[in-house]
Amino acid sequence: MELDKIVLNRKERKLLNKINFLTDYGNKRLIKAEIVTSQPEFDLYYFYQLRNYGLVETHHYPEPEESYHYRPDNGIASTQKGLHYNDWHWEHLRQFLYRSVTVPIIISIIANLVILVVKHFYK
């Protein structure tokens, strides 16, 4: 899923920031799942949302004897999209404010100046 289509709510952003903090923003690539699940921000629903968006990924730690029984995911890492989500979010907000606020204000100021000049010269 592209970043343009991803809108995180407050709890998802908080959990993503916590995972990024725990992975030291990508320097420690993989952390134990118990560390993340013990955080007060952790909620399984929001974690699965982040995973479905591709912002975090789960892995298995290697075991010496590979067996064919079910193993839960025991390693969590932020993806590159997850590490840079906040940068993208602020850039997107800046562009939105420029297009939606700044440009209309500048246009209205120019229109008012034109009206004043026209009124002044054609009196």
Side-chain angles (χ1 to χ4, degrees):
M1 184 176 285
E2 293 299 318
L3 281 176
D4 292 340
K5 295 177 176 59
I6 297 174
V7 178
L8 299 181
N9 64 26
R10 186 177 62 83
K11 290 184 180 182
E12 290 168 341
R13 275 196 313 267
K14 193 172 185 181
L15 180 59
L16 180 63
N17 287 337
K18 189 60 151 189
I19 292 172
N20 286 340
F21 175 75
L22 291 172
T23 60
D24 194 20
Y25 286 93
N27 292 337
K28 285 189 290 187
R29 184 74 180 119
L30 192 64
I31 56 173
K32 291 187 178 184
E34 294 83 30
I35 295 173
V36 175
T37 57
S38 66
Q39 300 299 317
E41 295 87 4
F42 180 77
D43 186 348
L44 193 58
Y45 172 77
Y46 297 120
F47 177 74
Y48 283 141
Q49 286 293 98
L50 292 176
R51 193 172 74 174
N52 289 339
Y53 291 150
L55 300 174
V56 296
E57 55 191 7
T58 55
H59 298 281
H60 296 294
Y61 282 121
E63 293 182 0
E65 302 163 3
E66 193 64 41
S67 58
Y68 292 102
H69 66 280
Y70 171 75
R71 276 186 307 165
D73 297 324
N74 55 7
I76 297 172
S78 293
T79 62
Q80 290 299 318
K81 284 177 16 180
L83 290 172
H84 302 291
Y85 177 79
N86 288 334
D87 298 334
W88 172 85
H89 176 72
W90 287 112
E91 180 65 24
H92 185 72
L93 182 63
R94 185 189 65 78
Q95 289 175 358
F96 169 76
L97 289 175
Y98 177 73
R99 283 189 310 242
S100 300
V101 177
T102 309
V103 171
I105 289 173
I106 291 171
I107 290 173
S108 66
I109 289 171
I110 291 171
N112 285 329
L113 290 174
V114 168
I115 290 171
L116 285 173
V117 168
V118 168
K119 275 177 127 179
H120 179 68
F121 284 117
Y122 292 112
K123 251 186 172 182

